[in-house]
Amino acid sequence: MGLPLAVACCLVGGAALAQTPSDADLQALRFYMSESNQQAVNSEIRRLQLQYPDWVVPDDLGQIERSVPGEMIDRIYRQVDAGQFEGARGTIAEISREYPNWSPSADLLETLALSEAQASFDEAVSGNNADVAIRVARANPALLRCERVNNAWLLAEQYQSIGDVTAALGVYTGIARSCTDPDALVATLEKSADVATLDQLARLADLARSQSPATADRLTSVEDRLRAGMLAQGQIAPATSPLDPLSTVEIGPATGSSPAVSLRPVGRPQRAASLQRPASSAPATTAPASLSGARSAAQRGDWASCLAESASARDAETVAQRGWCALNADRPMQALADFKAAASSARSPQTRRDASYGQALVMLRLNMVDEAAAVAAGTHFTAEQRLEIESQILDKRGVAAYNRRDFRRAIAYFDELERVTGVVRRDLALLRGYAYLNSGQKAQARIEFQRLHDQMATPASRRALSDALR
């Protein structure tokens, strides 16, 4: 039952008696209407009636909604198509000011973000800036969908240009594992021949045939031709370190993902063309039999055999390999002991660095965050290794700060994570929104939740946005 008008008038200032709700005042009501939350709609109407006694509730609540003219939305898409990304953002801001209840759709935001990422990637590739191209691709996994397979090929070439043959092969493996277009699979096999060994080429061909059985004969013919060419060039030994199964790129027809960081880092290997040493060169050092056996088992993903092959090893390189196999076999304590031993005894700076990287990763898995940070502070990691370690440290410290209700520090960690990596996971962004809300920054929380809701509406985003609008 509503309050008598006389009572309602006493609850508000005289200035409010001649007012009606503004568009901003109606935002919460529109949200509850869009969610079909009738109880919340009724409560919000009663609140507005108390605050604005002159306001007459429309018989048709749909009149409260203001629709954005279609030509204004079309203008945004035209600006995106023309590469005018700042202009598109300006138009979005203009519409938001004129229609406060409007928010850009998830499709519009995705189109804008993907188009801008594609332009940045193309610019980096054209400018031979491999580091930037790789960073853009990693931050925007949608660029690597099968319908954009050319991006994946270009990414592999960027890895090859900096000597990271293992990562390049990982990209080709991701395509062969996920895409189904016969022409794309054939081209991927042909491109991979520059970096793959005979065994790796065979694995890629098997993956491709499983993706497109109807093209099996054609793929086999291409594989045979490439193998003949590789044998004619004298390639009888691996050109790269064995490919870690966890270092491949998963490239999907609809979603895709960014290249995963390998759990067994390797140095930049020599290209196939440089395998034949001049007669005057010193012979290559022969790896211990235990290391060769462990590497062979790791290549197959046979972690138990890898551990058995390296069980009695004492040399740092084999012990480090054993550490990676132990980590993949979900034996973190053994992996930690092996990495520590390898890092302390290795003569090679690269082996020390990579063992320390493994040590830090295990510590993070075990939630030994401060210990991992200490290792990182004392190790000259590669840029990619440091990015992985520092991002995990910021992630875990942000969550820990939130759990102990230190919300402002949690926000600082999540903001720094976004600055360092260029992105922040959806679950962490949601947590950051609640950190804003719990620290009294309600407007900032609403902005964060609205952005997540616009990107992808879920029960969690609806609940969060409702919490921020109370």
Side-chain angles (χ1 to χ4, degrees):
M1 179 177 179
L3 292 173
L5 180 59
V7 177
C9 290
C10 295
L11 297 177
V12 295
L17 297 180
Q19 294 180 356
T20 57
S22 67
D23 277 338
D25 294 323
L26 294 171
Q27 183 175 5
L29 179 57
R30 292 188 181 108
F31 171 74
Y32 296 138
M33 289 169 57
S34 70
E35 296 298 310
S36 300
N37 187 339
Q38 192 58 46
Q39 182 178 358
V41 167
N42 293 337
S43 297
E44 184 64 13
I45 288 175
R46 285 195 296 272
R47 186 188 71 79
L48 290 170
Q49 286 177 317
L50 287 173
Q51 187 171 357
Y52 303 103
D54 287 350
W55 179 53
V56 178
V57 182
D59 292 334
D60 179 10
L61 288 178
Q63 296 177 18
I64 294 176
E65 298 288 349
R66 295 179 64 200
S67 59
V68 178
E71 57 267 21
M72 298 188 76
I73 304 298
D74 291 341
R75 192 206 317 172
I76 300 174
Y77 281 101
R78 287 195 300 271
Q79 289 172 317
V80 171
D81 290 340
Q84 300 169 359
F85 306 119
E86 289 302 320
R89 289 195 185 88
T91 302
I92 290 174
E94 176 187 338
I95 297 174
S96 297
R97 287 191 298 271
E98 189 172 348
Y99 299 86
N101 62 304
W102 175 82
S103 296
S105 67
D107 175 75
L108 175 55
L109 292 174
E110 182 180 1
T111 299
L112 173 58
L114 187 56
S115 298
E116 189 167 18
Q118 183 69 66
S120 297
F121 181 76
D122 292 341
E123 181 180 359
V125 171
S126 298
N128 297 316
N129 195 333
D131 289 338
V132 172
I134 291 169
R135 184 165 65 250
V136 171
R138 290 176 64 89
N140 298 276
L143 289 177
L144 301 179
R145 293 174 182 169
C146 288
E147 61 266 27
R148 294 173 180 259
V149 68
N150 190 61
N151 287 338
W153 290 332
L154 290 172
L155 176 61
E157 291 176 4
Q158 300 308 300
Y159 277 123
Q160 288 174 245
S161 71
I162 62 173
D164 195 344
V165 180
T166 301
L169 187 59
V171 175
Y172 294 133
T173 302
I175 299 171
R177 176 179 289 151
S178 307
C179 301
T180 58
D181 179 74
D183 292 334
L185 292 172
V186 167
T188 298
L189 284 183
E190 292 175 335
K191 292 174 181 295
S192 71
D194 289 338
V195 295
T197 65
L198 294 173
D199 287 343
Q200 289 164 346
L201 177 65
R203 289 172 57 198
L204 285 171
D206 286 341
L207 288 171
R209 281 187 287 265
S210 68
Q211 288 297 105
S212 181
T215 322
D217 290 344
R218 180 184 173 192
L219 290 166
T220 299
S221 177
V222 172
E223 179 191 6
D224 291 342
R225 170 169 55 80
L226 294 173
R227 288 175 65 87
M230 293 163 70
L231 288 169
Q233 294 175 13
Q235 191 191 119
I236 58 176
T240 68
S241 298
L243 177 65
D244 193 310
L246 295 177
S247 68
T248 58
V249 182
E250 296 295 338
I251 302 175
T255 57
S257 66
S258 58
V261 176
S262 171
L263 285 185
R264 185 183 50 74
V266 295
R268 295 180 179 177
Q270 295 175 319
R271 297 181 181 275
S274 64
L275 284 176
Q276 302 299 325
R277 293 177 177 272
S280 59
S281 297
T285 302
T286 303
S290 58
L291 177 56
S292 298
R295 282 178 172 172
S296 179
Q299 183 180 7
R300 301 190 305 271
D302 186 353
W303 313 121
S305 295
C306 172
L307 293 172
E309 289 281 353
S310 56
S312 59
R314 294 292 180 270
D315 64 289
E317 195 169 0
T318 308
V319 170
Q321 176 64 72
R322 186 172 66 206
W324 293 112
C325 292
L327 185 55
N328 280 285
D330 200 23
R331 298 183 183 180
M333 296 308 297
Q334 178 181 345
L336 184 58
D338 285 337
F339 286 136
K340 283 183 176 179
S344 63
S345 64
R347 296 182 180 179
S348 162
Q350 178 179 308
T351 301
R352 284 197 302 273
R353 179 199 66 202
D354 291 344
S356 296
Y357 174 58
Q359 184 179 347
L361 283 178
V362 179
M363 287 174 170
L364 288 168
R365 179 179 290 192
L366 296 171
N367 284 321
M368 301 167 61
V369 182
D370 291 339
E371 292 83 349
V375 171
T379 307
H380 187 62
F381 288 136
T382 66
E384 186 175 4
Q385 289 171 343
R386 183 158 298 282
L387 179 64
E388 177 67 17
I389 296 299
E390 289 185 354
S391 62
Q392 286 198 38
I393 289 173
L394 290 168
D395 181 328
K396 289 180 177 292
R397 283 182 168 169
V399 173
Y402 183 91
N403 288 337
R404 65 174 182 267
R405 305 186 65 79
D406 188 350
F407 301 120
R408 294 187 181 277
R409 183 161 296 183
I411 293 168
Y413 282 130
F414 294 143
D415 286 348
E416 180 65 9
L417 175 62
E418 186 170 26
R419 186 193 69 79
V420 169
T421 66
V423 294
V424 61
R425 291 199 322 268
R426 184 179 176 87
D427 60 324
L428 297 182
L430 196 65
L431 207 60
R432 180 169 61 182
Y434 275 109
Y436 282 128
L437 193 59
N438 289 320
S439 61
Q441 302 177 66
K442 195 171 184 178
Q444 192 63 38
R446 185 185 63 78
I447 292 172
E448 185 87 332
F449 293 147
Q450 186 71 61
R451 179 179 63 83
L452 293 170
H453 189 69
D454 290 339
Q455 288 176 351
M456 183 173 65
T458 65
S461 69
R462 292 188 183 95
R463 183 169 58 253
L465 194 50
S466 180
D467 289 341
L469 287 170
R470 287 176 185 170

